[in-house]
Amino acid sequence: MKVRYLTSALLLAMASGLAAAASVDIRHEYVPDRDGDENRDRVYVSHRFDNQIGFSVEAKWNYKDGHMGNAGHETGVSYLWKATDNFSLTPSINIDSSPSGASVFKYNLTGAYKINDEWDVAARIRHGYKNTDDSRYNQLNFYANRKFEWGKLGVEAEYKDIHGSDGGWKDKGHDQLIDFKGEYTKLESGVIPFFSIAAITHNGDGSEFKDEYVPRFRVGLKYNF
């Protein structure tokens, strides 16, 4: 039923507004030393109409034992409400489907504030629900970005409180990350290369609070239409 509502919202968006903005994002991720090295790729396409309804589609792959495998896909729909010229709220829902048949429903609310022409900040709250075993999590993200003549640098902090049931998420408890990001916007082609380096939690001391971190590296390209 939720998938049907999401599809209906996408059709309504396409029927009621012309395109305002679209982007394509290709990214590779590498995480060493977490149950063996992990490599993942994704292609992410997003689009927002003049009526401020947006949608996104993401395809994901991972690599195990030297072979590429399907890591699922994610579809989302959102609405951008501009309260003022500098402040906006964006409610959204994403459905993350895995090859096993499980789906995680992600309910989000993002608030963004433009401090000036150089600085902007944002925060997002998310509730995640897995349909196969009633596992849930609550997540909070904070973002800060600084624009330069050549591009942008930013930092993100995340806290996730995971409530797993039997057969639920493997790593229950509390996850955190700190992520540093950068992008370069001066290529004549309009392609924007970007990178991020993060510290993400892995294991703990037996309690639900994890205290061991491993690095996560991401590089990619995006293009805005």
Side-chain angles (χ1 to χ4, degrees), residues 120-181:
D120 64 82
V121 294
R124 182 184 69 190
I125 56 175
R126 166 180 285 177
H127 177 74
Y129 164 73
K130 186 185 288 187
N131 65 340
T132 52
D133 53 31
D134 202 38
S135 295
R136 299 174 182 271
Y137 67 84
N138 295 309
Q139 181 177 318
L140 183 61
N141 295 73
F142 293 100
Y143 310 87
N145 298 292
R146 168 71 155 85
K147 290 184 179 180
F148 299 89
E149 186 276 334
W150 48 266
K152 183 169 65 175
L153 292 175
V155 62
E156 174 188 355
E158 177 183 295
Y159 175 79
K160 181 186 290 186
D161 183 12
I162 302 172
H163 307 280
S165 61
D166 293 338
W169 278 289
K170 175 183 176 183
D171 295 323
K172 305 176 183 66
H174 302 271
D175 271 333
Q176 306 90 38
L177 72 80
I178 183 74
D179 192 13
F180 298 93
K181 309 174 182 181

Coordinates of all heavy atoms in Angstrom, one line a residue, residues 120-181:
D120 N 25.8 27.7 5.1 CA 24.4 27.1 5.3 C 24.5 25.9 6.2 O 25.5 25.3 6.3 CB 23.8 26.8 3.9 CG 24.5 25.6 3.2 OD1 24.3 24.5 3.5 OD2 25.3 25.9 2.3
V121 N 23.4 25.7 6.9 CA 23.3 24.6 7.9 C 22.0 23.9 7.6 O 21.1 24.4 7.1 CB 23.4 25.1 9.3 CG1 24.8 25.7 9.6 CG2 22.3 26.1 9.6
A122 N 22.0 22.6 8.1 CA 20.7 21.8 8.0 C 20.7 20.8 9.0 O 21.7 20.4 9.6 CB 20.7 21.2 6.6
A123 N 19.5 20.2 9.3 CA 19.3 19.1 10.2 C 18.2 18.2 9.7 O 17.3 18.7 9.0 CB 19.0 19.6 11.6
R124 N 18.4 16.9 9.9 CA 17.4 15.9 9.4 C 17.1 15.0 10.5 O 18.0 14.4 11.2 CB 17.9 15.2 8.2 CG 16.9 14.2 7.6 CD 17.4 13.4 6.5 NE 18.5 12.4 7.0 CZ 19.3 11.7 6.2 NH1 19.2 11.9 4.9 NH2 20.2 10.9 6.7
I125 N 15.8 14.7 10.7 CA 15.4 13.6 11.6 C 14.8 12.5 10.7 O 14.1 12.8 9.7 CB 14.4 14.1 12.7 CG1 13.2 14.8 12.0 CG2 15.0 15.0 13.7 CD1 12.1 15.2 13.0
R126 N 15.0 11.3 11.1 CA 14.5 10.1 10.3 C 14.1 9.0 11.2 O 14.7 8.7 12.2 CB 15.7 9.6 9.4 CG 15.4 8.3 8.8 CD 16.5 7.8 7.9 NE 16.5 8.5 6.6 CZ 17.4 8.4 5.7 NH1 18.4 7.6 5.8 NH2 17.3 9.1 4.5
H127 N 13.0 8.4 10.8 CA 12.6 7.1 11.5 C 12.6 6.0 10.4 O 12.0 6.2 9.3 CB 11.2 7.3 12.1 CG 10.7 6.0 12.7 ND1 11.1 5.5 13.9 CD2 9.7 5.1 12.2 CE1 10.5 4.4 14.2 NE2 9.7 4.1 13.2
G128 N 13.3 4.9 10.7 CA 13.3 3.8 9.7 C 12.6 2.6 10.3 O 12.7 2.3 11.5
Y129 N 11.9 1.9 9.4 CA 11.1 0.7 9.7 C 11.4 -0.4 8.7 O 11.2 -0.1 7.5 CB 9.7 1.1 9.8 CG 8.7 -0.1 9.8 CD1 8.6 -0.9 11.0 CD2 8.0 -0.4 8.7 CE1 7.8 -2.0 11.0 CE2 7.1 -1.5 8.7 CZ 7.0 -2.3 9.9 OH 6.2 -3.4 9.9
K130 N 11.7 -1.6 9.2 CA 11.9 -2.7 8.3 C 10.7 -3.6 8.3 O 10.2 -4.0 9.4 CB 13.1 -3.5 8.7 CG 13.5 -4.6 7.7 CD 14.6 -5.5 8.2 CE 15.9 -4.8 8.1 NZ 17.1 -5.7 8.4
N131 N 10.1 -3.9 7.1 CA 8.8 -4.5 7.1 C 8.8 -6.0 7.4 O 7.8 -6.6 7.8 CB 8.2 -4.3 5.7 CG 9.0 -5.1 4.6 OD1 10.2 -5.4 4.8 ND2 8.4 -5.3 3.4
T132 N 10.0 -6.6 7.4 CA 10.0 -8.1 7.5 C 10.1 -8.5 9.0 O 9.7 -9.6 9.3 CB 11.3 -8.7 6.8 OG1 12.4 -8.0 7.2 CG2 11.1 -8.6 5.3
D133 N 10.6 -7.7 9.9 CA 10.7 -8.1 11.3 C 10.4 -7.0 12.3 O 10.8 -7.2 13.5 CB 12.1 -8.7 11.5 CG 13.2 -7.7 11.1 OD1 13.0 -6.5 11.2 OD2 14.3 -8.2 10.7
D134 N 9.9 -5.9 11.9 CA 9.5 -4.8 12.8 C 10.7 -4.1 13.5 O 10.5 -3.5 14.5 CB 8.5 -5.3 13.8 CG 7.7 -4.2 14.4 OD1 7.3 -3.3 13.7 OD2 7.4 -4.2 15.7
S135 N 11.9 -4.3 12.9 CA 13.0 -3.5 13.4 C 12.9 -2.0 13.1 O 12.4 -1.7 12.0 CB 14.3 -4.0 12.8 OG 14.6 -5.4 13.2
R136 N 13.4 -1.2 13.9 CA 13.2 0.3 13.8 C 14.5 1.0 14.2 O 15.3 0.5 15.0 CB 12.0 0.8 14.6 CG 10.7 0.2 14.2 CD 9.6 0.6 15.1 NE 8.3 0.0 14.8 CZ 7.4 0.5 13.9 NH1 7.7 1.7 13.4 NH2 6.3 -0.1 13.7
Y137 N 14.6 2.2 13.7 CA 15.7 3.1 14.2 C 15.2 4.5 14.1 O 14.4 4.9 13.3 CB 17.0 2.8 13.5 CG 17.0 3.3 12.0 CD1 17.3 4.6 11.7 CD2 16.8 2.3 11.0 CE1 17.3 5.0 10.3 CE2 16.9 2.7 9.7 CZ 17.1 4.0 9.3 OH 17.2 4.4 8.0
N138 N 15.9 5.3 15.0 CA 15.7 6.8 14.9 C 17.1 7.4 14.6 O 18.1 6.9 15.2 CB 15.1 7.3 16.2 CG 13.7 6.8 16.5 OD1 12.9 6.9 15.6 ND2 13.5 6.3 17.7
Q139 N 17.1 8.4 13.7 CA 18.4 8.9 13.3 C 18.3 10.5 13.3 O 17.3 11.0 12.9 CB 18.7 8.4 11.9 CG 20.0 8.9 11.3 CD 20.3 8.2 9.9 OE1 20.0 7.0 9.8 NE2 20.7 9.0 9.0
L140 N 19.4 11.1 13.6 CA 19.5 12.5 13.6 C 20.8 12.9 12.9 O 21.9 12.4 13.2 CB 19.5 13.1 15.0 CG 19.6 14.6 15.2 CD1 18.3 15.3 14.5 CD2 19.6 15.0 16.7
N141 N 20.7 13.8 11.9 CA 21.9 14.3 11.2 C 22.0 15.8 11.3 O 21.0 16.5 11.2 CB 21.8 13.9 9.7 CG 21.9 12.4 9.5 OD1 20.9 11.7 9.8 ND2 23.0 11.9 9.0
F142 N 23.2 16.3 11.4 CA 23.5 17.8 11.3 C 24.5 18.0 10.2 O 25.4 17.3 10.0 CB 24.1 18.3 12.6 CG 23.1 18.2 13.8 CD1 23.1 17.2 14.7 CD2 22.1 19.2 13.9 CE1 22.3 17.1 15.8 CE2 21.2 19.2 15.0 CZ 21.3 18.1 15.9
Y143 N 24.3 19.1 9.4 CA 25.2 19.5 8.3 C 25.6 20.9 8.4 O 24.8 21.8 8.8 CB 24.4 19.3 7.0 CG 23.7 17.9 6.8 CD1 22.4 17.8 7.3 CD2 24.4 16.9 6.2 CE1 21.8 16.6 7.1 CE2 23.7 15.7 6.0 CZ 22.4 15.5 6.5 OH 21.8 14.3 6.3
A144 N 26.8 21.2 8.0 CA 27.3 22.6 7.9 C 28.1 22.7 6.6 O 29.0 21.8 6.4 CB 28.0 23.1 9.1
N145 N 27.9 23.7 5.8 CA 28.7 23.8 4.5 C 29.2 25.2 4.4 O 28.5 26.2 4.7 CB 27.8 23.5 3.3 CG 27.3 22.0 3.4 OD1 28.0 21.1 3.2 ND2 26.0 21.9 3.6
R146 N 30.4 25.3 3.8 CA 31.0 26.6 3.5 C 31.4 26.7 2.0 O 32.1 25.8 1.5 CB 32.3 26.7 4.4 CG 33.2 27.9 4.0 CD 32.7 29.2 4.4 NE 33.7 30.2 4.6 CZ 34.3 31.0 3.6 NH1 33.9 30.8 2.4 NH2 35.2 31.9 3.9
K147 N 30.8 27.6 1.3 CA 31.1 27.8 -0.1 C 32.3 28.7 -0.3 O 32.6 29.6 0.4 CB 29.9 28.5 -0.8 CG 28.7 27.6 -0.8 CD 27.5 28.3 -1.6 CE 26.3 27.4 -1.7 NZ 25.2 28.0 -2.5
F148 N 33.1 28.3 -1.3 CA 34.3 29.0 -1.8 C 34.1 29.3 -3.2 O 33.2 28.9 -3.9 CB 35.5 28.2 -1.5 CG 35.8 27.8 -0.1 CD1 35.2 26.7 0.5 CD2 36.5 28.7 0.7 CE1 35.5 26.4 1.8 CE2 36.8 28.4 2.1 CZ 36.2 27.2 2.6
E149 N 35.0 30.1 -3.7 CA 35.0 30.5 -5.2 C 35.1 29.3 -6.0 O 34.6 29.2 -7.1 CB 36.1 31.5 -5.5 CG 36.1 32.1 -6.9 CD 36.8 31.2 -7.9 OE1 37.7 30.4 -7.4 OE2 36.5 31.2 -9.1
W150 N 35.9 28.2 -5.6 CA 36.1 27.0 -6.4 C 35.2 25.9 -6.1 O 35.2 24.9 -6.8 CB 37.6 26.6 -6.1 CG 37.9 26.5 -4.6 CD1 38.5 27.5 -3.9 CD2 37.7 25.4 -3.7 NE1 38.7 27.1 -2.6 CE2 38.2 25.8 -2.5 CE3 37.1 24.2 -3.9 CZ2 38.0 25.0 -1.4 CZ3 37.0 23.3 -2.8 CH2 37.5 23.8 -1.5
G151 N 34.4 26.0 -5.0 CA 33.6 24.8 -4.7 C 33.0 24.9 -3.3 O 32.6 26.0 -2.8
K152 N 33.0 23.8 -2.5 CA 32.3 23.8 -1.2 C 33.0 22.7 -0.3 O 33.4 21.7 -0.8 CB 30.9 23.4 -1.4 CG 30.0 23.4 -0.1 CD 28.5 23.3 -0.4 CE 28.1 22.1 -1.1 NZ 26.6 22.0 -1.2
L153 N 33.1 23.0 1.0 CA 33.5 22.1 2.0 C 32.4 22.0 3.0 O 31.7 22.9 3.3 CB 34.8 22.5 2.7 CG 36.1 22.5 1.8 CD1 37.2 23.1 2.6 CD2 36.4 21.1 1.3
G154 N 32.3 20.8 3.6 CA 31.2 20.6 4.6 C 31.5 19.5 5.6 O 32.5 18.7 5.4
V155 N 30.7 19.5 6.6 CA 30.9 18.4 7.7 C 29.5 17.9 8.1 O 28.5 18.7 8.0 CB 31.6 19.0 8.9 CG1 30.8 20.2 9.5 CG2 31.9 17.9 9.9
E156 N 29.4 16.7 8.4 CA 28.1 16.0 8.8 C 28.4 15.2 10.0 O 29.4 14.5 10.1 CB 27.6 15.1 7.6 CG 26.4 14.3 8.0 CD 26.0 13.3 7.0 OE1 26.6 13.3 5.9 OE2 25.0 12.5 7.3
A157 N 27.5 15.3 11.0 CA 27.5 14.4 12.1 C 26.2 13.7 12.2 O 25.1 14.2 11.9 CB 27.6 15.3 13.4
E158 N 26.3 12.4 12.5 CA 25.1 11.5 12.6 C 25.0 10.7 13.8 O 26.1 10.2 14.3 CB 25.1 10.6 11.3 CG 23.9 9.6 11.3 CD 24.0 8.6 10.1 OE1 23.9 9.1 9.0 OE2 24.2 7.4 10.3
Y159 N 23.8 10.5 14.3 CA 23.6 9.7 15.5 C 22.4 8.8 15.2 O 21.3 9.3 14.8 CB 23.3 10.5 16.8 CG 22.9 9.6 17.9 CD1 23.9 8.9 18.7 CD2 21.6 9.5 18.3 CE1 23.5 8.1 19.8 CE2 21.2 8.7 19.4 CZ 22.2 8.0 20.1 OH 21.8 7.2 21.2
K160 N 22.5 7.5 15.3 CA 21.4 6.5 15.0 C 21.2 5.6 16.2 O 22.1 5.0 16.7 CB 21.8 5.7 13.8 CG 20.7 4.7 13.3 CD 21.1 3.8 12.2 CE 21.3 4.6 10.9 NZ 21.6 3.7 9.8
D161 N 19.9 5.5 16.6 CA 19.5 4.6 17.7 C 18.7 3.5 17.1 O 17.6 3.7 16.6 CB 18.7 5.4 18.7 CG 18.3 4.6 19.9 OD1 18.8 3.5 20.1 OD2 17.4 5.1 20.7
I162 N 19.3 2.3 17.1 CA 18.8 1.1 16.4 C 18.0 0.2 17.4 O 18.6 -0.2 18.5 CB 19.8 0.3 15.7 CG1 20.6 1.2 14.7 CG2 19.3 -0.9 15.0 CD1 21.8 0.5 14.1
H163 N 16.8 -0.1 17.1 CA 16.0 -1.0 17.9 C 15.7 -2.3 17.0 O 14.8 -2.3 16.2 CB 14.7 -0.4 18.3 CG 14.8 0.9 19.0 ND1 15.2 1.0 20.3 CD2 14.7 2.2 18.5 CE1 15.3 2.3 20.6 NE2 15.0 3.0 19.6
G164 N 16.5 -3.3 17.2 CA 16.4 -4.5 16.4 C 15.6 -5.6 17.1 O 15.7 -5.7 18.4
S165 N 14.8 -6.4 16.4 CA 14.2 -7.5 17.0 C 15.0 -8.8 16.6 O 16.0 -8.7 15.9 CB 12.7 -7.6 16.5 OG 12.7 -7.8 15.0
D166 N 14.5 -9.9 17.0 CA 15.2 -11.2 16.6 C 15.1 -11.2 15.1 O 14.1 -11.1 14.5 CB 14.5 -12.4 17.2 CG 14.7 -12.4 18.7 OD1 15.7 -11.8 19.2 OD2 13.9 -13.1 19.4
G167 N 16.3 -11.4 14.5 CA 16.4 -11.5 13.0 C 16.5 -10.1 12.4 O 16.4 -10.0 11.2
G168 N 16.6 -9.0 13.2 CA 16.6 -7.7 12.7 C 18.0 -7.3 12.3 O 18.8 -8.1 12.0
W169 N 18.3 -6.0 12.5 CA 19.6 -5.5 12.1 C 20.7 -6.2 12.9 O 20.6 -6.3 14.1 CB 19.7 -4.0 12.2 CG 19.1 -3.3 11.0 CD1 19.6 -3.2 9.8 CD2 17.9 -2.5 11.0 NE1 18.8 -2.4 9.0 CE2 17.7 -2.0 9.7 CE3 16.9 -2.3 12.0 CZ2 16.6 -1.3 9.3 CZ3 15.8 -1.5 11.6 CH2 15.7 -1.0 10.3
K170 N 21.8 -6.5 12.2 CA 22.9 -7.2 12.9 C 23.5 -6.4 14.0 O 23.7 -6.9 15.1 CB 24.0 -7.6 11.8 CG 25.2 -8.2 12.4 CD 26.2 -8.5 11.4 CE 27.5 -9.0 11.9 NZ 28.6 -9.2 10.9
D171 N 23.8 -5.1 13.7 CA 24.5 -4.3 14.7 C 23.4 -3.4 15.4 O 23.0 -2.3 14.9 CB 25.5 -3.4 14.0 CG 26.6 -4.2 13.4 OD1 27.0 -5.2 14.1 OD2 27.1 -3.9 12.3
K172 N 22.9 -3.8 16.5 CA 21.9 -3.1 17.3 C 22.7 -2.1 18.2 O 23.8 -2.3 18.5 CB 21.0 -4.0 18.0 CG 20.3 -5.1 17.1 CD 19.5 -6.0 18.0 CE 18.9 -7.1 17.1 NZ 19.9 -8.0 16.5
G173 N 21.9 -1.1 18.7 CA 22.5 -0.2 19.6 C 22.6 1.2 19.1 O 21.6 1.7 18.5
H174 N 23.7 1.8 19.2 CA 23.8 3.2 18.8 C 25.0 3.4 17.8 O 26.1 3.0 18.1 CB 24.1 4.1 20.0 CG 23.0 4.0 21.0 ND1 21.9 4.8 21.0 CD2 22.8 3.2 22.1 CE1 21.1 4.5 22.0 NE2 21.6 3.5 22.6
D175 N 24.7 4.0 16.6 CA 25.8 4.2 15.6 C 26.0 5.7 15.5 O 25.1 6.6 15.7 CB 25.3 3.8 14.2 CG 25.7 2.3 14.0 OD1 26.7 1.9 14.6 OD2 25.0 1.6 13.2
Q176 N 27.3 6.1 15.3 CA 27.6 7.5 15.1 C 28.6 7.6 13.9 O 29.3 6.6 13.6 CB 28.3 8.1 16.3 CG 27.5 8.0 17.6 CD 27.8 6.7 18.4 OE1 29.0 6.3 18.4 NE2 26.8 6.1 19.0
L177 N 28.6 8.8 13.3 CA 29.6 9.0 12.3 C 29.9 10.5 12.2 O 29.1 11.4 12.6 CB 29.3 8.5 10.9 CG 28.2 9.2 10.1 CD1 28.7 10.5 9.4 CD2 27.6 8.3 9.0
I178 N 31.1 10.9 11.8 CA 31.5 12.2 11.5 C 32.1 12.2 10.1 O 33.0 11.4 9.8 CB 32.5 12.8 12.5 CG1 32.8 14.3 12.2 CG2 33.7 12.0 12.7 CD1 31.7 15.2 12.5
D179 N 31.6 13.1 9.2 CA 32.0 13.0 7.8 C 32.4 14.4 7.3 O 31.7 15.3 7.5 CB 30.8 12.5 7.0 CG 31.1 12.1 5.6 OD1 32.3 12.0 5.3 OD2 30.2 11.9 4.8
F180 N 33.6 14.4 6.6 CA 34.1 15.6 6.0 C 34.0 15.5 4.5 O 34.4 14.5 3.9 CB 35.5 15.9 6.5 CG 35.7 16.1 7.9 CD1 36.0 15.0 8.7 CD2 35.5 17.3 8.5 CE1 36.1 15.2 10.1 CE2 35.6 17.5 9.9 CZ 35.9 16.4 10.7
K181 N 33.4 16.5 3.8 CA 33.1 16.5 2.4 C 33.7 17.7 1.7 O 33.9 18.7 2.3 CB 31.6 16.4 2.2 CG 30.9 15.4 3.1 CD 29.4 15.5 2.9 CE 28.6 14.5 3.8 NZ 27.2 14.6 3.6

